[in-house]
């Protein structure tokens, strides 16, 4: 009869790390940072730097900002894993996370998150500027304290206000170039803010049972599909309209405007399709909320791609030259 022993962060019986176990330990700690979320955050950081510069920023500045931003986001996500380890084990989607499986101890995860947070602050402060470093600290505090600890388990509006943390990379990208903030940066901040609910609620619809199991009151857990879909449509419209506010504020030219209108139109079509299916009371297999979830990522990427390209090939709109 064999027994299964918990993994002890890659150590062999002799207390040494093999090449394979080193890779596994690295993979486990990397998983704590939620790399896929970091990728999405960088999508909103990198392009904003081009708009702030109205051209191509210094390559070293780009790299320094992206590295610092990645460390900061990794810290916030690791803290999130540490604080949510009790509910992560109750959800199928998160039951494989390192703190749930025992691959990493809570103490080591907490130390890791703290080291990343300190490193990101010093990196941004010394190599970029201290405004960007302060905004980075603010993002960590908002995600860990405001969203994870205060809102997530208490209100169905958790992702709305907790999503503020996910908007901070926009401000960090802008401030890294200008060492200041502006109305253009605020508009882009609001784009991400309003985009977050119609991006995340379809995912919550997909994993409704998981969240209900863990006692997390995501909107799809406490409301009918029709009510959730209605909110998604409202936020989708506000998101698209906010992207167009940037046109006179920045100002933006034809490239950005065409991308924002075309991709935004498709975003609205998908949101309304979801609402129509919800009103019909169709089963999940027909409702297909993940279709909107996946397109929402493409939509945000396209909009911010337009933000980066437009100042490089600026073609002024009538009255905005």
């Amino acid at each position: 009869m064999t027994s299964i022993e918990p993994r002890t962060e890659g150590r062999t019986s002799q207390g040494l790390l093999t090449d394979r176990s080193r890779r596994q330990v690295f993979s486990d700690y990397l998983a704590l940072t939620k790399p896929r979320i970091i990728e999405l955050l960088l999508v909103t950081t990198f392009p904003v730097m081009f708009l702030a510069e109205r051209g191509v920023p210094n390559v070293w500045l780009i790299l320094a900002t992206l590295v610092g931003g990645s460390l900061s986001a990794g810290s916030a996500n690791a803290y999130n894993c540490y604080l949510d380890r009790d509910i992560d084990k109750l959800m199928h989607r998160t039951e494989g996370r390192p703190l749930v499986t025992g691959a990493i101890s809570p103490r080591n995860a907490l130390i890791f998150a703290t080291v990343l947070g300190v490193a990101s602050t010093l990196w941004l402060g010394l190599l970029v500027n201290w405004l960007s470093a302060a905004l980075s600290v603010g993002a960590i505090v908002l995600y860990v304290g405001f969203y994870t600890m205060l809102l997530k388990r208490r209100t169905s509006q958790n992702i709305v206000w907790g999503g503020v943390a996910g908007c901070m990379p926009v401000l960090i990208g802008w401030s890294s170039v200008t060492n200041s903030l502006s109305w253009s940066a605020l508009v882009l901040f609001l784009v991400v803010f309003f985009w977050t609910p119609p991006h995340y609620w379809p995912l919550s619809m997909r994993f409704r049972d998981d969240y209900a199991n863990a006692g997390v009151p995501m909107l799809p857990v406490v409301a009918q599909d029709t009510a959730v879909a209605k909110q998604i449509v409202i936020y989708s419209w506000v998101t698209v309209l906010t992207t167009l506010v940037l046109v006179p504020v920045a100002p933006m030219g034809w490239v950005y405007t065409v991308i924002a209108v075309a991709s935004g139109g498709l975003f609205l079509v998908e949101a309304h399709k979801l609402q129509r299916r919800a009103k019909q009371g169709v089963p999940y297999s027909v409702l297909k909320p993940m279709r909107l979830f996946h397109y929402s990522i493409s939509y945000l990427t396209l909009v911010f791609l337009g933000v980066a390209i437009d100042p490089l090939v600026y073609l002024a709109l009538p009255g905005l030259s």
Side-chain angles (χ1 to χ4, degrees), residues 18-38:
T18 64
D19 287 342
R20 183 179 180 282
S21 61
R22 285 194 190 94
R23 289 196 296 271
Q24 185 59 57
V25 169
F26 176 81
S27 176
D28 289 334
Y29 277 96
L30 182 64
L32 284 183
T33 68
K34 303 182 185 178
R36 295 182 67 180
I37 293 180
I38 293 177

Side-chain angles (χ1 to χ4, degrees), residues 9 116 129 139 157 162 183 205 225 316:
E9 302 194 18
L116 287 183
N129 58 59
Q157 294 298 301
W183 288 111
M205 295 171 82
D225 286 344

Side-chain angles (χ1 to χ4, degrees), residues 70-137:
S70 297
L71 292 173
S72 175
S75 171
N77 290 332
Y79 276 123
N80 175 265
C81 287
Y82 170 80
L83 292 168
D84 278 354
R85 64 191 186 279
D86 60 327
I87 59 176
D88 280 348
K89 68 182 179 182
L90 302 176
M91 299 169 60
H92 179 70
R93 183 171 68 93
T94 55
E95 64 185 6
R97 287 179 175 172
L99 281 167
V100 177
T101 63
I104 296 175
S105 70
R107 176 179 177 274
N108 286 353
L110 185 59
I111 293 172
F112 177 65
T114 303
V115 168
L116 287 183
V118 172
S120 67
T121 303
L122 293 176
W123 178 280
L124 288 170
L126 296 173
L127 300 180
V128 181
N129 58 59
W130 287 105
L131 175 57
S132 296
L135 291 168
S136 169
V137 172

